[in-house]
Amino acid sequence: MDPQAVSQGAANAVSAASAVAGNEQAAASGAVQAVSAASQAVVHTGFALFLDKLYYFIMVPLVYISIIVMIVGIVAKIMSIVRAPIPAFSLKTYPAKKRPFLAALADTFGMPMIRKEKPLFWFFLMMFHIGIFFLFFGHLDLFPGVNLMPPQSRHMIGAGAVGLSVTIPTFYFLFRRFKGQERHISVPSDYLLLLLLLFIFLLGDMISWGNSWTAHGFVMTKADFKNYFGILKSFSFADPRTVLHGSHYHFVVAHVFLAELFMMILPFTKIVHTFFSLPLNLLRRR
Amino acid sequence: METATQEALKKLFESKLNKAMRLYLDTCAHCGLCVEACHVYQAMPETKYTPVGRAEVVRKLFKRYFKVQGKIAPWLGEVIELDDKSVDMAYEAAFSCTGCRRCVTVCPFGIDTQQVMNIAKLLLIGAEKQPQILSMLSDMSIAKGETWKETADDYIAALNNLAPEVEALAPTPPGRPTIPIDVENANVLYVGLSGKHSIVPAAAILNAARENWTISHFEAVNFAAWLGDGEKQRLIAKRIIMEAERLKVKEVAVVECGTATRVLKFMTGSHPFKIVSIVELIARYIEQGRIKVKSGTISGTLTYHDPCQLGRNGGVMEEPRYIIGKLTDKFVELTPNKEANWCCGGGGGLISLGEHEFRMKTGKVKADQMRASKADTICTACENCHTQLTELNEHYELGMKVESLTNLVAHALTGFGA
């Protein structure tokens, strides 16, 4: 079958479905089915075939691999610290807090020292970390059986605002490293890590904003992503292409791939502060 | 650098990798919050004088030799090799840091640059590039611990010569020596420094309180703490700990010396006796009514410099203010103060090393603070700080009087025997 003809057919089907259907949802549904049928009918060869296999690897096996690498890495990192000798004396600073653990919790999650010294930085840090918290739940909502948002809603948690709340601070974190002492104390990994995060967020934004802020939603709906997460959860190793339709699949694959990269490098970068911030703050509080 | 030396240094490095150090070296986010917290950077705004810049010397070595990233992608963290150049960088990092730990209080993770610098200092010792004067002074202190009996008679004679000066400040309780020594079961073992200025005022206060006290054969200062030699530091502190155990005292009171107090109080484990700063003891005597001080003996306004090791790192912040409150009603605070106080620039062994030009430059932020206070007198409770403040006062022509808190109290003693 001629791929060009298939594409054209799909486009026509989308157009026809939109024109004929009386409501938007029916139009979108018809379009998706048409695109899906067209996509599956294509027989890929050469580079397209290579991409298919690469995409499959990224979308299924590499998800499991990256999660395993992350967990093993984190456990190894934590073990290296647990096994190390404890400091011979207290490293706390004064005045001593009556409740050191609560003080360390406040230091970790409230970052009062940053609020005092650099309020703008603190604002973006808080925005970012709260955003990450909601991002976690936004992705959890995509798991089959989990419905933090109503199942029929096409919005992720925050309806696109959560993406903004991590993307804007990431731009700030990146740009502040190009001036003053921040530039001098930064090493290549600082920039690369922020760029990695930025691209993950921007790709995620595209999907999330598309679903929330356009009339018909993103080509792939929240229900489609739920089906994809269902494949991962069931370990069926089915091709996600059967549930994620349309040419925007490239962007989803890119989003997933960068997220996998992030997970795999997490234990070996300063992102370990996710786990170590509280123990560190406890060191200076008791 | 020879491979054998490099290997030996790696082992030394590894020996310091306790839980805290691994966390400190792994977690820094390079946020730069600590940059402005350093008084050295305030005076000389260069990356190498920032807390993170100093710690990065050690961190880049850590990444190179102890992390996967440093082996497969060294460029990611701009790692450095363990060689003569990096050892020189370690020297500049370690001995431009006074160990004031002001940066710890602003770091969102509480990363302790002073501790990280102890790795740099250990590498210097391993490479035999440590400051020789600190090595020599440490060795002398340790030797004193082994030979003190040989010089005890001379020491006691010298102490007896100080008796009239002590008597001039406060009468000795009847039946007791003015400066008692080797008193078993004493309540307090007072550990001074080698100069009489650290003995006379304290002796007067202890006598005015009618304390059953005894003076140490040793001086409190611990040069090895600045050198970064943990074993020597332990040996120097051990002399005093053993003396306190031998005499079965109830309490050890340490002279106005921030580092000595911190080492003895927090870094020597638990003991059957308490360890306190002389400042804490004086505050307690006043509170209990065991000594009385005249208010108004200090002319003009008075301010107080919190020694970093005593205040931020030792928790003695309210006691000096309580004492000062009894001495004068014309007290003004330096801004900022207490845990946020600026280091005077004399810590970390820099006084012992000389480093006058560097100390005067980096003490500018303290000098500015002193000037802004418009106080006539500044007092403190640390020998190093006192020396540095005196030199800053002269260098920046501040026209202030610099006093030790113990000395101010001793000269305000009154109501003896009441």
Side-chain angles (χ1 to χ4, degrees), chain B residues 295-315:
Chain B
S295 183
T297 52
I298 303 153
S299 62
T301 50
L302 175 71
T303 189
Y304 176 72
H305 162 73
D306 286 279
C308 302
Q309 304 307 332
L310 204 60
R312 180 164 46 237
N313 303 326

Side-chain angles (χ1 to χ4, degrees), chain B residues 1-163:
Chain B
M1 182 178 284
E2 289 176 14
T3 312
T5 312
Q6 205 179 45
E7 287 302 316
L9 293 184
K10 271 194 270 182
K11 281 187 180 149
L12 279 178
F13 197 125
E14 200 167 8
S15 72
K16 294 291 272 186
L17 291 178
N18 61 25
K19 279 186 175 59
M21 212 64 91
R22 282 183 177 274
L23 288 168
Y24 293 152
L25 294 175
D26 255 335
T27 313
C28 179
H30 296 154
C31 71
L33 214 70
C34 59
V35 168
E36 303 282 340
C38 180
H39 65 283
V40 179
Y41 176 80
Q42 289 287 334
M44 294 188 278
E46 295 177 50
T47 309
K48 65 182 179 180
Y49 294 135
T50 64
V52 58
R54 293 186 185 98
E56 275 298 284
V57 176
V58 176
R59 193 169 284 118
K60 286 173 178 178
L61 289 169
F62 176 70
K63 283 180 189 165
R64 167 66 183 84
Y65 295 105
F66 302 99
K67 286 195 79 172
V68 178
Q69 188 205 86
K71 291 182 172 65
I72 60 173
W75 57 275
L76 273 173
E78 294 178 345
V79 304
I80 54 175
E81 298 287 328
L82 205 38
D83 53 21
D84 291 334
K85 191 182 166 195
S86 60
V87 169
D88 289 344
M89 287 164 71
Y91 189 101
E92 186 148 27
F95 289 99
S96 67
C97 172
T98 55
C100 76
R101 298 175 86 225
R102 192 171 190 269
C103 51
V104 180
T105 65
V106 298
C107 172
F109 306 123
I111 292 173
D112 192 332
T113 310
Q114 186 197 40
Q115 288 302 302
V116 178
M117 286 303 96
N118 274 344
I119 294 185
K121 289 179 176 182
L122 194 61
L123 294 179
L124 293 172
I125 292 168
E128 296 182 355
K129 286 194 173 180
Q130 75 275 36
Q132 289 307 313
I133 182 78
L134 289 180
S135 268
M136 195 181 72
L137 291 167
S138 300
D139 292 341
M140 283 169 64
S141 294
I142 294 166
K144 176 77 189 293
E146 291 158 359
T147 62
W148 64 274
K149 283 182 184 166
E150 295 165 22
T151 54
D153 290 343
D154 291 342
Y155 180 54
I156 291 166
L159 289 177
N160 288 336
N161 289 338
L162 299 178

